[in-house]
Amino acid sequence: MSGRKAKHEYTARHATDAEVLAASRKLTRRGFAVAAIGAAAGFGFYRWVEYSRDDGMQPVPLRRAFQANAALSRKVFDERALAPTYPASRAENLRINGLIGIKEAILPESWRLQLVGAANEKHFAQYVPDVTAWTYEYSRGRESTEGDHFTFVPPVENQPVAGYSKDAKDVTMGKDGKATESAVTQTSNVALPIWKQVLNGTQIQIGCNNIFGQDPPTAFGFGGNSTNYPGFTRMKRYNIRTEVFINAP
Amino acid sequence: MDIGNQEETPAAPPVTLRLERKHLLAIRWMHWINFPLLFIMILSGIQIYWNDSDNAHLHPHAIYRLGFGSLTLVRIFPESVWNALHIPWHVTQGMGDHFFFMWLFALNGVAYVLYSAISGEWRFLIPRRGSLREAFQVMLASLHLRRSLPLKKKYNGAQRIAYSTVIAMGAGSLITGLAIFKPTQLHYLTTMLGGYEWARWEHFWLTVGFCLFFLVHVVQVAFAGWNNFRSMVSGYEIRPANQPSLERERRS
C-alpha cells in the first residue's frame, strides 16, 4: 500500500521549497515513529527469548530451536550414511573440551563413551537412560570437583612404571633401594597428553540400524533373546576396541 | 516525472528542492533488522570463541590469532577485553543465541537477496565497469586528497563494491557456518572450504570483516550527514530539484 501511494503523494510536485520540507518532516516523523515501535518490538522479542523459563539451562525458545535444528538434521541427513574416515596418521591431538568433574586421572577401564542422538535410540543395546549415573573410578579415589575444576592433577605413582616414568635418571632411589619420586618430578614425567590418558582403553561402539533394509529373521530361544531383540539381529554392530598408548611396554 | 515545473505562476518562488524516494520500504526494514541480528551473532560468536580460548594450553589458539605457521603475532582479545565485555562463562548462552538467531539472520539475508533480485534494486548495488576506479576517487576524496566527489547516482563505486561484498560475506558466513555446524554430514562442503579448522578460520575472519565494514560504514554515514541517514529510516531524501532522478535510474 504505502509504496505506491506514498511515492505519489510525496514525490509529486510541490509548489514551494517550504512544502517540500513540510512533506519531508511528516515523512520523517512517521518513519521514526514506526522505527521506534519496531525497535521496541524487537527488543521485546529479544527479552522474551532471553528471559523465558529455563529448560535444561536454556531459555525455552532457544531450547526449542536446538530441538528443531536436531529434528531438521535428522530429516535432512541420512542417518545410515557413513562418516568419512581418515588414516590414523592424519589424526592430531584431540581437543579437550573441558575437565569439569575430572579432578584426577580416571581409570580408563571405567570410562565409557555413549553415542546418542540416533532416532529411536532406546532401541539400541547401548542405550543408557542416564549416562551420568555411570560411576567412574579414579586412580586415587574421588575428590571434590568444586573449585578450580580446570586443574588436572596427574596421578602420583607409588612405583615407577616402565614407559610411564619417562627417564630412568629421573627415578631417584631411596635407601631401601625402592624408587622414591617427588610429586614434582613425576608430574613432569607424565609425558602423555591428557587426551591419550582419557582415551586409554576406550571402548567405542558404533551401531547402525537395519543396514540391509530387511526384516530380521525370527529369533528362537529359550526365554527370548538376552540382548534386546530386534537389536540383536537387526543391528550390525562394530566393536572397536582402542588400545590407546599408555602402559604399553 | 517532470520536476522542473515551468508552468508555475511567476509570483511563486522557484522550487529548488524535491523529495527523492531513496530506499524502498522492504530494504529499509531488512537493513535495520539485520543490524541487531548481526550484532547478536557476533556477540554470541565471541561468547563461544571464549570457551575455545579458555584453557589455552589445551588448544593453544590454533585459529583465532594473527600469525604464520607456529609464529603467533597477536592472540586476539586479551583478558581485559573479555572481562570488559562480560564474555567469560557465557558459552551456553552464546550457543543458544547463535543457533536460534542464525535462522533469522539467514532468512533476512535470503529475503533481501530475493527482494533485490525481483525488484531490480540489485542494479544500484552491483559493481559495474568503472566502479573500481570510482571507488579509488571516492577514497581520495574521503582522505581530502581530491576536491569533489564524482557524480552521484544512488551509490558510488566504493559503495557498490562495499555493499555487494558485505552481502557476499553474509553468504560466506552462512556457508562456513554450516560447514562448522555439520562437519560430518556436510563433509564435502567442509572439505571444499579447506577442512574444519580452515572453515572456522574463514568464519571468524569474515566476522572481523563485518566489524571493519561496520566501523567504516558508521563513519561514512556520519560524514554523509543527517539527510542521508534519515533516508534510511523514512525512505526519502531531500535533493536539489535539478539533480537526476533516482526513479529514472530505478526504472532504466
Side-chain angles (χ1 to χ4, degrees), chain A residues 6-77:
Chain A
K7 183 171 86 69
H8 211 72
E9 195 177 335
Y10 294 110
T11 57
R13 302 171 183 188
H14 295 290
T16 61
D17 282 358
E19 267 181 48
V20 173
L21 294 174
S24 172
R25 273 195 294 276
K26 189 176 169 191
L27 278 166
T28 304
R29 275 196 301 276
R30 199 173 71 177
F32 276 87
V34 172
I37 293 167
F43 187 64
F45 174 71
Y46 178 76
R47 295 274 300 184
W48 171 75
V49 169
E50 296 297 316
Y51 295 95
S52 285
R53 187 171 49 80
D54 263 17
D55 175 5
M57 295 177 72
Q58 287 284 344
V60 166
L62 301 186
R63 172 65 60 199
R64 294 263 162 77
F66 277 132
Q67 289 160 346
N69 290 341
L72 184 68
S73 294
R74 280 197 286 271
K75 283 228 160 53
V76 170
F77 300 114

Side-chain angles (χ1 to χ4, degrees), chain B residues 5 17 33 53 71 78-79 81 89 102 189 194 202 221 238 245:
Chain B
N5 201 0
L17 301 175
I33 287 172
S53 308
L71 173 70
E79 200 68 28
V81 173
W89 310 109
M102 69 178 185
L189 179 67
E202 289 147 10
V221 166
I238 299 172
S245 163

